[in-house]
Amino acid sequence: MGEMQRQAVLSGSEFEERIGYARAVVDGDRVYVSGMTGFDYATMTISDDVVEQAEQCLRNIGAALEAAGCTFADVVRVRYLLPAREDFEPCWPVLKRCFGEVRPAATMLECGLADPRMKIEIEVDARRGSGAGGFDRRAVGRPVAALRIEAVDGEAMLEQWRHVHNVIVPPAAMTLDEVRERSGRYRLENAYLGEEVVGCSTVRPPEGEERVATVIARVLPAFRGRGIGTALYERGLAHARGLGAGAVETVVLAANAEGLRFAGARGFAERERYVLDGEGDEWVDLRLASFPG
């Protein structure tokens, strides 16, 4: 048990290597997440708006928590660091969406940050609880190196995509013919660890005057908590951006509490709940609160 007690979660960041720190540290059942700023690491851009920076901070924290095998529900302490204290109150609604039900201990500090573009930095401590089901400590810090994501191509990959989809959303189970038809309209990808399929994603191209794209990431339950959903989501978001999307939405089965937490941690806000004609399952449409096109 001793060798499993403490492990580092690394993102591959140049700063982690140059300065000598980890994105997060797992020590027994405790998780310590380094301070996160408003940089979108996929594009290395940062908004001028403090609220948008806070949203991005929380998305970055959510990815680190997932890689460490827990969620925002496991957070026990949060610290907010801002150069200008008057910027704190505008962020409250965003912060409440993540922590309003969790109610961690919290501290706000007014201080200088490493880059003048940074208007807020957030760090959290967590203790893995019931939300960490299925977590494998041996996977901490190494999901990206082992993960392979590929566009669906050919019958075998279509069947693998169908398998993951149907496990995650059985009320909307699809036939192989339906998957073939969908692959002609949408971008479908599979995620693999070695040769084993562990997840899939869908990107629906932008539609309507607002050019709204839909990005959906799915991970089989046994493989959650390793950063796979985050990797699928970030690729889907990048693809939507490349298609010229003006906004991004996702859809989650209401009974999928983990899926709703995942979306909330990345800045999605609920827009609508509905039941399809002739069915009994409730679905939730959510939109990403801030999406730089």
Side-chain angles (χ1 to χ4, degrees):
M1 181 173 175
E3 65 178 0
M4 295 295 182
Q5 276 296 97
R6 172 173 169 151
Q7 296 191 43
V9 176
L10 303 175
S11 70
S13 160
E14 174 187 354
F15 294 110
E16 290 174 22
E17 180 65 25
R18 291 173 61 186
I19 299 173
Y21 71 95
R23 186 55 45 107
V25 172
V26 179
D27 188 8
D29 64 353
R30 298 185 182 275
V31 177
Y32 304 93
V33 178
S34 295
M36 298 289 186
T37 66
F39 272 97
D40 179 341
Y41 298 123
T43 61
M44 285 312 297
T45 57
I46 188 168
S47 170
D48 289 331
D49 182 77
V50 66
V51 175
E52 292 181 3
Q53 286 196 26
E55 291 170 341
Q56 185 63 48
C57 287
L58 295 171
R59 286 194 284 272
N60 295 340
I61 289 170
L65 288 171
E66 183 184 15
C70 57
T71 71
F72 279 101
D74 299 307
V75 172
V76 296
R77 184 162 187 81
V78 57
R79 299 174 184 84
Y80 305 105
L81 301 95
L82 296 92
R85 60 185 176 184
E86 61 269 19
D87 280 345
F88 188 42
E89 187 169 350
C91 298
W92 289 356
V94 171
L95 305 176
K96 185 177 180 180
R97 284 206 300 267
C98 271
F99 300 119
E101 296 184 6
V102 181
R103 298 298 180 95
T107 302
M108 180 270 178
L109 297 173
E110 184 179 21
C111 61
L113 298 180
D115 186 315
R117 292 173 293 177
M118 299 173 182
K119 297 185 177 181
I120 185 170
E121 183 171 343
I122 306 174
E123 69 174 44
V124 303
D125 300 338
R127 185 170 184 175
R128 293 203 312 272
S130 59
F135 173 66
D136 179 357
R137 289 187 185 183
R138 293 170 298 176
V140 172
R142 60 176 176 84
V144 175
L147 187 65
R148 174 169 52 91
I149 300 176
E150 296 183 1
V152 170
D153 183 20
E155 293 293 296
M157 294 184 74
L158 286 169
E159 176 57 38
Q160 291 169 333
W161 188 96
R162 186 178 81 93
H163 167 71
V164 175
H165 175 276
N166 290 356
V167 168
I168 304 302
V169 284
M174 301 174 66
T175 67
L176 190 56
D177 282 341
E178 288 172 327
V179 177
R180 286 194 196 98
E181 187 276 334
R182 183 164 293 195
S183 70
R185 296 185 291 123
Y186 304 150
R187 171 81 171 187
L188 307 183
E189 293 192 330
N190 288 341
Y192 300 89
L193 287 175
E195 297 303 315
E196 185 173 11
V197 64
V198 297
C200 74
S201 65
T202 303
V203 178
R204 301 174 189 166
E207 297 179 341
E209 292 183 3
E210 295 182 272
R211 295 195 56 75
V212 180
T214 301
V215 176
I216 305 171
R218 311 172 189 89
V219 179
L220 292 173
F223 298 94
R224 291 172 183 167
R226 306 189 188 187
I228 296 168
T230 298
L232 282 165
Y233 165 72
E234 292 292 350
R235 281 175 61 97
L237 203 63
H239 186 69
R241 187 179 290 111
L243 294 174
V248 168
E249 293 185 347
T250 194
V251 58
V252 181
L253 189 64
N256 183 1
E258 283 191 69
L260 290 173
R261 284 196 297 267
F262 181 92
R266 281 146 189 83
F268 283 87
E270 182 176 326
R271 290 173 59 84
E272 180 184 13
R273 289 185 179 236
Y274 56 90
V275 176
L276 297 174
D277 291 343
E279 298 184 7
D281 295 285
E282 187 178 44
W283 298 86
V284 184
D285 282 348
L286 307 101
R287 178 171 291 194
L288 190 58
S290 175
F291 177 72

